[in-house]
Each structure stands twice: as C-alpha cells, then as structure tokens.
Amino acid sequence: MSHTAELIAVGTELLLGNIANTNAQVLSQSLSALGVNVFWHTVVGDNPQRLREALDIARRRADILITTGGLGPTYDDLTKQTICEAFGKPLILHPDILEDIRAFYESALHVPMPENNTQQAELPEGCTVFDNPVGTAPGCAFEADGVHVLMLPGPPHEMETMLRRHVEPYLRKLSHEVIVSQDIMTFGMGESSIDQLLHEKMAHMTNPTLATYAKPCEVRLRATAKAATEDEAYSMLAPVGQMVLETLGDIVYGVDGGDLADCCHGHLIRRGLTLATAESCTGGLVAQRLTAIPGISAVYRGGVVSYWTSVKAEVLHVPQDVLDTYGPVSEECARAMAEGVRRITGADLGVSVTGAAGPDPDERGVPVGIVYIGLATPEGTFCRRLDLGRRRRDRIQGLAANHAFDVVRRYLQGLPVEQI
C-alpha cells in the first residue's frame, strides 16, 4: 500500500521568518527514501484554533501526519493537547518519562526540573513513545481513524535524532516500497532550453519521472523511481540517465556527485595533473571553492587574485603592451594570466578569469557581463569568451567561476573547451 504524508510544522517563529523550516527538508528526504509520498508541507503558528483547522484539512487528504514543534513546557506549546482533542485521545501522565526528565535536568543541566515540564511527560493514551536522548520532549505516534499521527520536537538536532532512532523504523513497517532519486548534473544550457529538448519525454513519464531543477549557476535533473526494492528502482533509472545523456550530450558532467569543482578534482586526481588559478573579477571564488574540497592539496598548487592591473603585470607577468593595447578584460590578457600562473606555480594547468562583473562597465567601457576564461596547458593556451549579460554582480561571479571549472573539466575529458 502506498502512503501519503503531510508535514505540519508548528511555530510562530517559522511564519515570522526568524528561523528556516529545515526539519521539513530532512523529513521529506527521509520519507521519500522510505517510499512515503510527501504531497503537502504546512506551517502554522502557535495557535490551537489554526492548528486544529490544519489538522482537519490534513487528515482528509493524508494517512500519515507528522508534526514538528510545540512539545515544549511553555504556555504556547500546545501541539499534543490540540492533536489529542482533534483525534479524541486523552493525555496520560507517564511517571517513568517524568523521572527521566527530572534526571536530565539534574545530570545535564544541574538544576531542578521546573514543574511546567511535567506536561512533557503527558502523552496520548496507547501511543508508541519515542524517547529523546538529547532533549526533554519525548515524541510519540498513534493511529486513529486510519491515520498515523507522529509528533516530533522542533529543535532540529532533537528531531533528526528521533527520526533516525524511531520514526524511520516505525514508517518502514508501514511501507513496502522504496523511492530512489538520482541527480543528473549539467552545465552550459539554461533550464528552459533543457526543458524544450526533454519536455515530450518528461510529460509522458509516470514511474520513473524526470524533472528539471534550476540551481543558482547550473541546472540539475532529478530522475525518481518507485519500486519494491532499491535494486529494482535503480534498474528503472538506468535508461532514463542514458536517454538524458544521449539528448544533452557533454553538458552532462555527473550523476549523484558534487559540483563542477568536485568534478574537476576527480579528473585531476585520475589524470595525475595539478592546477593553479589566476582570478580578477571572481575575487578568489574559484580558489575558495577548490580549497573547500578535502584532499585538494594533492592537485591544487595555489592561485593569484590579481584585481589590480599592476598585479597582473608585476605578479603574473602579463606583458605591459598586452594591458595597454587590449586592456585587462580581453582574450589576450586572460591567456597571459593563465600562462603566468602556470609558470610561477609550476602547475600542469593554469586557469584564469577576467571580466566586468559590474555594476558598471570597466574603465575601458567593456560592458557588464563580458568575461574571458583562459586555460594554459602543455598543448597550448585556450580561451572562452562569455557574454553573461547585465546580471547581478554575484551571479556573474558565480557563473564565471563555473565556466572556469567547465573549461578545466572539458580539457581533462578531451572535449572542446573554447565553446560549449
């Protein structure tokens, strides 16, 4: 039997935007892996009437309700009371849980338990208790009128601990299907263009399914299959991945992996080559993303952020006549920067980025969004010219960094690097 879940997050602080509802993301990922369909996310404030209205709606359209938050000891923590009223379940005091809460206060917090914490030991009659080893609020689950109701604490660490220890085993007994998803990573084509190429196929898929997801500087496709076992689901996904690869070609750079920087790291390791970076408009973003990767020191020698023209000349040894004739935002400068950083670091490859990130054109009037990516290799130096348009400055920088990684990735894979 296929189950449908609704997640209800309780907390006025969520509605005010004071905190993000990260619990919903973690729960959805977990439930999807268990074969439970999550069709609705609801957020409601600390208000019993509005929570009751949300419960009445949810119980009509889902057979698994999971709430987070509102299990604390204060006056506005009314999730249990409201849920029990909605489902006709009396609250019963559990003396053993009360003693555990007292012990937690005395051993972990070294203070006596406030008496209002007593309500945390009151749980629905006949429920399955979920103990909370990292907090004071136990969770619970019960079934009523064909609906499974699970109540979890709001603090993310407590919620996730309870999810792994109790919720997943509880739900695993209810579902006999698994859902498996794969992310297919692409770079070099916009979401609308990819959708146009794949729309007819995606529109007629039911199981497995395929959908596009636009990330800040790239596009990913998510293929999802539901089956009795993981192996069966992966078998269903294999032809989908092959179809995407045949349709999109070499703009696909990986499946279920890291980003373009991680992709370059892997290829550099496999080829036994080293890399250095020379950056201007990206201000060290390429180097920062590389050095965030564990183990990158095996292949990354270092970089230069040559923001001033004089640094390009004095550190990277870009010829002054190149700077005078063509300017710092030019193909000639990008090539010289890449060659310079390769030479001074001794790296096998040198990649450079120079451009006008805005908000205004550069001193020579180069329009915002014009960027050059240089790549110096043992076989010669290449350059890719980009016109990224009048986007936000951070967007131009992010796209330029991704293009730098894409140029390196394509070279390492034996693909054309100057154009996409």
Side-chain angles (χ1 to χ4, degrees):
M1 175 183 174
S2 181
H3 291 276
T4 300
E6 178 159 352
L7 310 182
I8 302 176
V10 182
T12 302
E13 67 276 12
L14 294 168
L15 293 175
L16 294 175
N18 294 334
I19 60 173
N21 187 15
T22 58
N23 285 338
Q25 179 184 21
V26 173
L27 282 166
S28 285
Q29 291 170 344
S30 174
L31 268 60
S32 176
L34 292 168
V36 177
N37 301 303
V38 180
F39 288 162
W40 300 278
H41 285 190
T42 297
V43 180
V44 63
D46 298 303
N47 180 284
Q49 180 180 345
R50 287 192 286 273
L51 175 55
R52 178 62 184 267
E53 292 169 356
L55 290 167
D56 289 341
I57 293 170
R59 68 191 298 182
R60 292 197 296 269
R61 62 189 184 186
D63 62 349
I64 297 176
L65 308 185
I66 301 180
T67 67
T68 55
L71 302 184
T74 59
Y75 73 94
D76 56 352
D77 289 312
L78 299 172
T79 297
K80 275 186 303 187
Q81 293 88 330
T82 305
I83 289 176
C84 285
E85 289 174 6
F87 285 90
K89 288 277 187 178
L91 281 167
I92 305 297
L93 178 67
H94 290 242
D96 56 331
I97 295 176
L98 183 59
E99 288 309 308
D100 288 343
I101 297 173
R102 290 190 193 277
F104 180 87
Y105 267 91
E106 292 171 3
S107 62
L109 305 179
H110 307 293
V111 295
M113 183 198 82
E115 284 308 310
N116 59 356
N117 281 84
T118 300
Q119 73 179 35
Q120 292 185 300
E122 297 176 348
L123 296 169
E125 184 179 44
C127 71
T128 299
V129 178
F130 300 156
D131 72 282
N132 185 350
V134 292
T136 61
C140 64
F142 65 82
E143 182 182 4
D145 303 324
V147 177
H148 291 269
V149 181
L150 292 79
M151 290 179 262
L152 310 180
H157 179 53
E158 295 182 33
M159 191 286 300
E160 191 161 355
T161 300
M162 195 172 292
L163 171 66
R164 307 304 176 203
R165 286 168 58 95
H166 298 291
V167 175
E168 288 178 349
Y170 182 95
L171 294 177
R172 199 172 285 119
K173 296 176 183 177
L174 305 181
S175 179
H176 301 291
E177 294 179 304
V178 296
I179 298 176
V180 172
S181 294
Q182 286 185 326
D183 280 351
I184 303 170
M185 286 85 77
T186 76
F187 179 75
M189 189 179 291
E191 184 182 22
S192 58
S193 298
I194 290 177
D195 180 79
Q196 188 172 10
L197 289 172
L198 294 170
H199 180 79
E200 282 302 313
K201 293 184 175 69
M202 291 192 296
H204 291 92
M205 295 173 70
T206 55
N207 185 29
T209 59
L210 184 67
T212 58
Y213 293 88
K215 306 289 282 184
C217 296
E218 65 178 57
V219 178
R220 297 193 176 189
L221 294 102
R222 179 161 297 163
T224 303
K226 179 183 288 188
T229 66
E230 277 195 5
D231 288 344
E232 185 180 342
Y234 279 116
S235 295
M236 295 166 65
L237 291 176
V240 178
Q242 185 61 34
M243 179 272 293
V244 171
L245 185 59
E246 291 172 355
T247 304
L248 300 183
D250 57 23
I251 71 164
V252 176
Y253 71 83
V255 176
D256 280 346
D259 61 12
L260 275 165
D262 292 296
C263 179
C264 289
H265 175 223
H267 286 301
L268 288 165
I269 291 288
R270 284 187 286 275
R271 292 282 300 273
L273 299 176
T274 57
L275 175 68
T277 55
E279 301 180 66
S280 184
C281 65
T282 46
L285 179 59
V286 177
Q288 186 275 325
R289 286 178 57 185
L290 285 169
T291 54
I293 301 171
I296 195 66
S297 58
V299 295
Y300 181 59
R301 291 217 168 185
V304 175
V305 179
S306 54
Y307 214 66
W308 277 26
T309 301
S310 59
V311 177
K312 293 178 176 67
E314 295 166 12
V315 178
L316 293 174
H317 307 297
V318 176
Q320 190 62 48
D321 64 325
V322 167
L323 295 169
D324 292 340
T325 303
Y326 302 102
V329 181
S330 64
E331 176 177 338
E332 292 77 9
C333 182
R335 289 174 176 269
M337 289 170 63
E339 292 166 354
V341 80
R342 178 174 181 251
R343 185 169 54 249
I344 65 177
T345 62
D348 297 301
L349 308 176
V351 66
S352 67
V353 186
T354 183
D360 302 310
D362 81 341
E363 62 270 18
R364 287 180 171 237
V366 175
V368 173
I370 299 299
V371 176
Y372 294 90
I373 310 292
L375 181 69
T377 77
E379 294 80 26
T381 303
F382 308 90
C383 187
R384 177 186 292 180
R385 181 186 186 276
L386 306 169
D387 186 349
L388 302 178
R390 288 193 62 86
R391 305 171 189 260
R392 289 199 327 254
R393 180 179 177 84
D394 61 334
R395 181 68 176 238
I396 289 174
Q397 291 172 321
L399 282 168
N402 264 12
H403 275 280
F405 291 124
D406 187 59
V407 164
V408 174
R409 188 266 300 189
R410 285 174 171 269
Y411 169 80
L412 293 169
Q413 289 186 294
L415 301 169
V417 301
E418 295 181 341
Q419 301 295 327
I420 297 178

